[in-house]
Amino acid sequence: MSAVRMDGKALAEKLRAVVAEDVRAFGGPVCLATILVGDDPASHVYVGKKHEASHEAGIESRDHRFPSDTPETDILDLIAELNADESVDGILVQLPLPEHMNEPSVTRAVDPDKDVDGFHPINAGRLFLGEPLLVPATPLGVMAMLAEYGIEPKGAEAVVIGRSEIVGKPMSMLLLAEHATVTICHSRTADLGAHARRADILVAAVGRPGLVTPDMVKPGATVIDVGVNRTDKGLVGDVDPAVFEVAGHMTPVPGGVGPMTIAMLLRNTLTAAQHRSELRGTGVAAPGR
Ligand code: GUN
């Protein structure tokens, strides 16, 4: 029997409509600022989609694009300006940045209360301590898909392949918070197949086409493919499509996790606006913000 196809496109549309309603209910303006440096075509497409989706959800957006030879200090100056700008709720620096920039120093310059990517150490720490506020959008989208399809992490064996700051690590924390037993595998894992075969929930987030093959999957398992690989055959994930014949539930690529990321970015932008509004209401906000 073939796995249930977990339709991220349909769920993302539904969730974006819910965010739009919640933005209306919030009552005030909500604003996302994006920063894109360089000419990576995929990044330009992603950022364009983020603006389109923001507009549809009633979120204002500001689009800052720079040539690839822009000095890092120019970007840090803009981030400082956006941090101080009361009308901006969320700031997103599209990755990857050009080679001459230090990604952590740039992403860490973003005010943690406006960090809609959830990359700042304060937000990583909040997640680690079980007090999440702004959580990276892709793993947040995976959790929403599991919930939608009634996949219960509690007590499940969850195996996450990949230990990136954007997906693998926060994914593991979110599954742990939902009481899964979590194993994190990576490039130095001795016997990946042995770990993967134990998984009730298997998340592949490495960026290697065909990494997960049918023999590595327990029959009936839920397989989440976070891979985004551009090949001659078009966009493919990390999971061999033949796994559909073994898994119980599985996300396709494209149309699985990808569309969820933007929906969750919109949710995070509203969360940031709500949080900042609460901080202002209680007088906790720093002067000038
Ligand atoms: N590049 C690839 N994925 C992401 C993401 O989730 N956020 C940002 N800012 N850049 C990315």
Side-chain angles (χ1 to χ4, degrees), residues 110-254:
V110 173
D111 179 341
D113 291 334
K114 298 187 179 188
D115 169 36
V116 287
D117 263 322
F119 294 165
H120 194 284
I122 293 275
N123 285 314
R126 283 171 173 154
L127 178 60
F128 187 88
L129 296 173
E131 299 162 23
L133 179 68
L134 296 168
V135 175
T138 300
L140 206 53
V142 172
M143 296 309 285
M145 289 188 90
L146 294 176
E148 174 73 7
Y149 283 85
I151 312 294
E152 173 69 89
K154 188 172 172 181
E157 287 275 352
V159 174
V160 178
I161 311 175
R163 54 177 160 177
S164 70
E165 317 293 339
I166 301 184
V167 184
K169 286 182 190 171
M171 184 78 257
S172 306
M173 285 296 130
L174 288 170
L175 287 163
L176 183 63
E178 292 297 324
H179 315 291
T181 301
V182 183
T183 303
I184 307 174
C185 298
H186 46 79
S187 53
R188 315 287 164 87
T189 295
D191 187 348
L192 180 60
H195 290 288
R197 269 188 294 278
R198 282 204 334 268
D200 302 308
I201 299 170
L202 180 63
V203 181
V206 172
R208 184 136 40 100
L211 173 72
V212 176
T213 47
D215 59 299
M216 293 167 69
V217 176
K218 178 158 92 178
T222 298
V223 179
I224 306 288
D225 190 352
V226 187
V228 182
N229 306 296
R230 281 159 221 288
T231 70
D232 318 342
K233 294 182 198 134
L235 192 67
V236 302
D238 288 351
V239 180
D240 181 340
V243 171
F244 265 107
E245 299 310 316
V246 182
H249 287 78
M250 181 160 148
T251 60
V253 176

Side-chain angles (χ1 to χ4, degrees), residues 88-112:
V88 172
D89 296 294
I91 302 169
L92 177 143
V93 182
Q94 185 68 25
L95 303 180
L97 287 168
E99 292 262 309
H100 69 279
M101 289 195 191
N102 181 294
E103 266 181 18
S105 10
V106 174
T107 53
R108 286 170 199 191
V110 173
D111 179 341

